[in-house]
Amino acid sequence: MISNWSTVAGRTFRAVRDTSAPMTYGLIALCCLIFVLGPASGLDPAYGTGDALMAAQRAYFRHWGVIPAELFAAPVREALTPATALFVHGSWVHLLGNMLFLYVFGAMAEERMGRVQFTLFYIGCGYLALIGYAAANSASQQSLVGASGAISAVLGAFLYLFPDARVTSLLPFLFFLPLRFPAWVVLPFWAALQWLAAGRATEGPGVAYLAHLVGFTLGFLFAWVRFGRTTAVPSRGTAPGPPAERPGRLDHE
């Protein structure tokens, strides 16, 4: 069993290393691995079933996720939780939605920024997005987990760097017909939906739309400041994309 896992891990590492965007695919692999090994996947019998599994999930999210009230009550002790929360997801839908967006938009952004800069950008913007949400909801006791803040930053940077890239979108009011639009149409539309949803959001389990907005804004500003007004890269072709309305979930469990 250990030998099989070692073989799979070795092949995965070599495949990731040899791609043009190793950090993007490495982040996807890491998030998937952490999820599969944790209680949220429901695959490890050691966490039990029924109420025992639910209790294990709640404890897991509280340990690794951001709890706004505790973050600001004990900032030194809780300072790492916005970083660990980026790699924890609350459900299969949450994980797959986020990883799909990272897969679609992350590779081109990484190729433009470079491996090291992209990794620091991803973690730094994701960290600040969670901090921003926690600051606006400083009394909340809900656990906040997920990579959506970081991935929203990738979307913001992508909008600046590749405004003319064609993104295939599935719009519900058009019966989910796949239509291709430039990024400068799809991504601002997505950001507007997040802004509208954030205005109606209430405290409790759900999607942290404000973290999406903070991440998206940070990502766009970073690309604008770092690459300047004259370095936006023209599209190299069509970038297939998931539905335009949101990049998965950022859950309060």
Side-chain angles (χ1 to χ4, degrees), residues 67-82 127 131 138:
I67 303 174
E70 296 183 8
L71 177 65
F72 295 109
V76 175
R77 186 185 47 160
E78 299 293 326
L80 285 178
T81 57
Y127 187 100
I131 291 289
S138 58

Side-chain angles (χ1 to χ4, degrees), residues 155-178:
L155 268 62
F158 189 96
L159 173 61
Y160 180 81
L161 295 172
F162 308 101
D164 296 323
R166 307 293 289 186
V167 179
T168 300
S169 304
L170 303 177
L171 302 178
F173 53 83
L174 293 178
F175 303 101
F176 294 98
L177 294 175

Side-chain angles (χ1 to χ4, degrees), residues 34-125:
I34 290 173
F35 179 79
V36 168
L37 296 178
S41 69
L43 298 178
D44 189 343
Y47 290 109
T49 59
D51 291 342
L53 178 60
M54 294 293 292
Q57 291 174 352
R58 287 192 295 269
Y60 183 78
F61 296 141
R62 291 191 68 84
H63 181 76
W64 297 109
V66 176
I67 303 174
E70 296 183 8
L71 177 65
F72 295 109
V76 175
R77 186 185 47 160
E78 299 293 326
L80 285 178
T81 57
T84 58
L86 292 176
F87 300 95
V88 177
H89 291 83
S91 68
W92 283 99
V93 172
H94 186 197
L95 172 74
L96 296 176
N98 275 350
M99 295 305 101
L100 179 59
F101 267 66
L102 182 54
Y103 172 78
V104 169
F105 295 99
M108 288 177 66
E110 180 183 345
E111 289 177 20
R112 182 68 183 90
M113 294 182 187
R115 300 175 183 181
V116 174
Q117 185 172 211
F118 176 80
T119 304
L120 295 175
F121 159 80
Y122 179 91
I123 295 175
C125 288

Side-chain angles (χ1 to χ4, degrees), residues 206-225:
V207 180
Y209 296 104
L210 180 59
H212 298 178
L213 289 172
V214 173
F216 186 85
T217 303
L218 288 173
F220 186 88
L221 290 176
F222 173 86
W224 180 58
V225 172

